[in-house]
């Protein structure tokens, strides 16, 4: 997830919590968002593209960009004071089992999308690009489980990961070597999914998330 996307998600969350925006609310124009986020218009557009893919906003040509009910549900489900430790606790409880389920029920199209995310992460040149592909990879694995309730729960996790404290900590601990390690761990997860090996997928996901947790929380 890029810094601009993270800032935009935070802006939307704050607006929803304050009651300023609700389902169907029209977002500020791109020009206004550029000024508010102090970011290039191209970066704002990419952030809006990501939010549209996630179902947080919907865009209508000539009318503008609007918040969806999904956005408000996600805001309601992720307290602003959620800590990185809490996020990792929930991820470790949820995502290994998600990977195990995905290994059983993922379609070939699902696996191709997951593979695209893996390749994107492997080719990423810096922190922001890698984080964007990282988030998409985990999201596509969750989608490959084909469970709507599970995706709602994963949406809460996505919201928590958009909180400023998470992004700051990820940036502070990120190094090229660490990103290479994470990519190798992602590769092990995807290999297990392709092999339809539920146990290996769960184990690989757990190993990866334990590494992420130890890195973020200083437990080496």
């Amino acid at each position: 997830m890029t810094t601009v996307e993270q800032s935009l998600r935070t802006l939307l969350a704050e607006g929803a919590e304050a009651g300023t925006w609700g389902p169907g609310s029209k977002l500020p124009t791109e020009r206004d968002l550029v000024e508010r986020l102090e970011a290039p218009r191209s970066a704002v557009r990419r952030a809006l593209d990501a939010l549209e893919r996630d179902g947080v906003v919907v865009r209508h040509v000539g009318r503008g960009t609007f918040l969806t009910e999904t956005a408000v549900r996600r805001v309601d489900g992720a307290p602003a004071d959620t800590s990185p430790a809490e996020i990792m606790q929930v991820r470790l409880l949820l995502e290994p089992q998600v990977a195990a389920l995905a290994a059983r029920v993922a379609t070939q199209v699902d696996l191709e999308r997951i593979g695209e995310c893996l390749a994107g992460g492997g080719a990423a040149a810096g922190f922001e690009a890698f984080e964007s592909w990282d988030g998409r990879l985990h999201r596509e694995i969750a989608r490959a489980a084909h469970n709507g309730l599970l995706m709602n729960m994963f949406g809460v996790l996505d919201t928590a990961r958009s909180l400023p404290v998470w992004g700051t900590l990820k940036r502070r601990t990120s190094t090229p070597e660490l990103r290479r390690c994470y990519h190798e761990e992602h590769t092990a997860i995807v290999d297990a999914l392709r092999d339809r090996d539920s146990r290996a997928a769960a184990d690989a996901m757990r190993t990866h998330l334990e590494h992420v947790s130890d890195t973020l929380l200083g437990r080496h």
Side-chain angles (χ1 to χ4, degrees), residues 2-87:
T2 67
T3 302
V4 176
E5 181 186 340
Q6 177 184 319
S7 298
L8 180 54
R9 288 179 186 270
T10 299
L11 179 67
L12 298 182
E14 291 173 347
E17 287 176 352
T20 306
W21 292 325
S25 293
K26 185 176 181 179
L27 268 62
T29 64
E30 281 187 5
R31 178 178 296 179
D32 289 338
L33 289 174
V34 165
E35 293 179 0
R36 289 196 192 193
L37 301 176
E38 299 181 347
R41 177 165 287 190
S42 60
V44 170
R45 285 178 177 170
R46 286 195 297 271
L48 288 169
D49 286 342
L51 265 62
E52 187 173 32
R53 284 195 302 270
D54 290 349
V56 174
V57 301
V58 60
R59 287 187 280 187
H60 298 289
V61 177
R63 292 177 53 203
T65 303
F66 301 84
L67 271 182
T68 66
E69 291 185 2
T70 299
V72 179
R73 285 200 302 270
R74 289 183 176 182
V75 168
D76 289 343
D81 60 351
T82 302
S83 70
E86 290 175 319
I87 293 171

Side-chain angles (χ1 to χ4, degrees), residues 9 17 24 41 46 49 97 99-100 110 117 147 151 155 167 183:
R9 288 179 186 270
E17 287 176 352
R41 177 165 287 190
R46 286 195 297 271
D49 286 342
Q97 298 309 313
D110 292 329
C117 295
N147 185 303
M151 276 308 300
H183 178 66

Side-chain angles (χ1 to χ4, degrees), residues 73-218:
R73 285 200 302 270
R74 289 183 176 182
V75 168
D76 289 343
D81 60 351
T82 302
S83 70
E86 290 175 319
I87 293 171
M88 290 311 307
Q89 286 169 355
V90 175
R91 292 189 71 187
L92 278 161
L93 285 171
L94 183 64
E95 291 194 59
Q97 298 309 313
V98 170
L101 178 58
R104 292 195 297 271
V105 303
T107 66
Q108 187 57 39
V109 172
D110 292 329
L111 294 174
E112 288 172 0
R113 288 174 180 160
I114 292 168
E116 289 172 3
C117 295
L118 178 67
F127 168 78
E128 291 188 358
F130 183 84
E131 282 298 300
S132 178
W133 284 112
D134 184 327
R136 287 175 64 182
L137 174 70
H138 285 271
R139 211 154 37 239
E140 289 298 339
I141 292 172
R143 285 183 178 141
H146 295 282
N147 185 303
L149 179 58
L150 192 59
M151 276 308 300
N152 282 342
M153 296 169 67
F154 199 84
V156 175
L157 270 179
D158 253 1
T159 303
R161 291 176 68 191
S162 72
L163 295 172
V165 64
W166 176 265
T168 299
L169 192 54
K170 285 291 296 246
R171 179 180 290 277
R172 186 185 305 152
T173 57
S174 182
T175 65
E177 181 181 1
L178 182 64
R179 291 193 292 272
R180 283 193 295 272
C181 288
Y182 284 171
H183 178 66
E184 290 174 1
E185 291 165 2
H186 286 160
T187 300
I189 297 167
V190 176
D191 285 346
L193 293 174
R194 288 168 173 162
D195 290 341
R196 303 292 184 177
D197 190 331
S198 295
R199 179 174 294 180
D203 288 345
M205 180 66 79
R206 186 176 298 105
T207 295
H208 169 57
L209 293 178
E210 286 173 347
H211 186 191
V212 174
S213 181
D214 289 347
T215 299
L216 292 181
L217 305 179

